[in-house]
Amino acid sequence: MAEEAENSIPVIAIDGPSASGKGTVALLVAKKLGFHYLDSGSLYRLVALAAMRSEVDLDDEKALSGIAADLDVSFADGEIRLGDRNVADDIRAEACSNGASRVAAYPRVRGALLDRQRAFRKRPGLVADGRDMGSMVFPEAMLKVFLTASPEVRAQRRYKQLMGKGINANIATLLQDIRDRDARDTNRSVAPLQLAAGANLLDTTSLDIQQAVDSVLKLYAEACAKSAPKPS
Ligand code: DC
């Protein structure tokens, strides 16, 4: 697609730390607007899963970037297929969460996933969630939101989510995992988790999902009004 035409497709970039609820919020905003949805974290999780399955060392940047470039992945109707297997649940396991955070620290892995992420930008628009959507992947996004909540509230949300799926969890361990992952994602030298220039901070500590979705939709309506041509 010509660059100019592509740049006219609206992108809403939603970044934030683990378990902030950004995935749920981004998906609901995309549904409401009829936009496409990119869960960029799933790509890092897929690289980690594919590496672990083929016994590639999670410290081997060269091999990992090859896996990232060649990922045979398709997304459809809530399924995430790696080859011919639906791995939507497998990539949510804690081992994959930790593996994803490790592989995501490698510049060559991130570079190998860049075009794949940008290819999600299709009409009528895209809602993309991750850590660097507003800073690196879609720096010209028409709306950038940094969605966060306190670590304690995020640990509680993750706890409820896991218990709801019948998976046993310990809140203290979850809180420690969240703090460790925040530190890794924030302190890495390449594309660290950060408030992108021009991003709107949305703290959802005391908001429920619907309130968070409504806040993003309101910000989007304001951004549309700002970018609409002024009557002369
Ligand atoms: O959003 P998530 O928890 O599914 O992300 C999994 C890991 O991938 C997380 O540790 C950070 C990393 N990630 C990233 O570095 N950049 C992104 N755009 C998305 C996720």
Side-chain angles (χ1 to χ4, degrees), residues 15 18-19 22 39-42 44-45 92 97 100-102 104 110 117 129-133 137 158 181 185 188 191:
D15 289 306
S18 297
K22 65 189 184 314
D39 164 11
S40 63
S42 70
Y44 293 95
R45 290 172 180 271
R92 300 288 148 202
S97 303
S101 164
R102 286 174 64 187
R110 305 196 72 85
Q117 295 175 83
D129 90 61
R131 305 294 187 287
D132 62 344
M133 297 298 97
V137 183
R158 178 62 46 98
R181 221 174 304 156
D185 293 346
R188 68 179 177 221

Side-chain angles (χ1 to χ4, degrees), residues 34-119:
F35 281 12
H36 299 277
Y37 168 58
L38 166 64
D39 164 11
S40 63
S42 70
L43 295 172
Y44 293 95
R45 290 172 180 271
L46 284 159
V47 173
L49 181 70
M52 290 189 286
R53 288 202 171 154
S54 44
E55 295 184 11
V56 164
D57 196 327
L58 293 188
D59 292 324
D60 185 344
E61 179 172 7
K62 185 162 181 272
L64 292 169
S65 62
I67 290 177
D70 296 339
L71 266 187
D72 175 16
V73 60
S74 57
F75 297 84
D77 304 327
E79 286 198 350
I80 301 177
R81 302 193 82 79
L82 187 60
D84 55 6
R85 287 168 68 178
N86 179 14
V87 295
D89 288 337
D90 302 10
I91 61 166
R92 300 288 148 202
E94 277 306 290
C96 261
S97 303
N98 291 324
S101 164
R102 286 174 64 187
V103 306
Y106 293 117
R108 288 170 71 178
V109 172
R110 305 196 72 85
L113 294 176
L114 212 47
D115 285 347
R116 203 185 275 272
Q117 295 175 83
R118 291 186 176 145

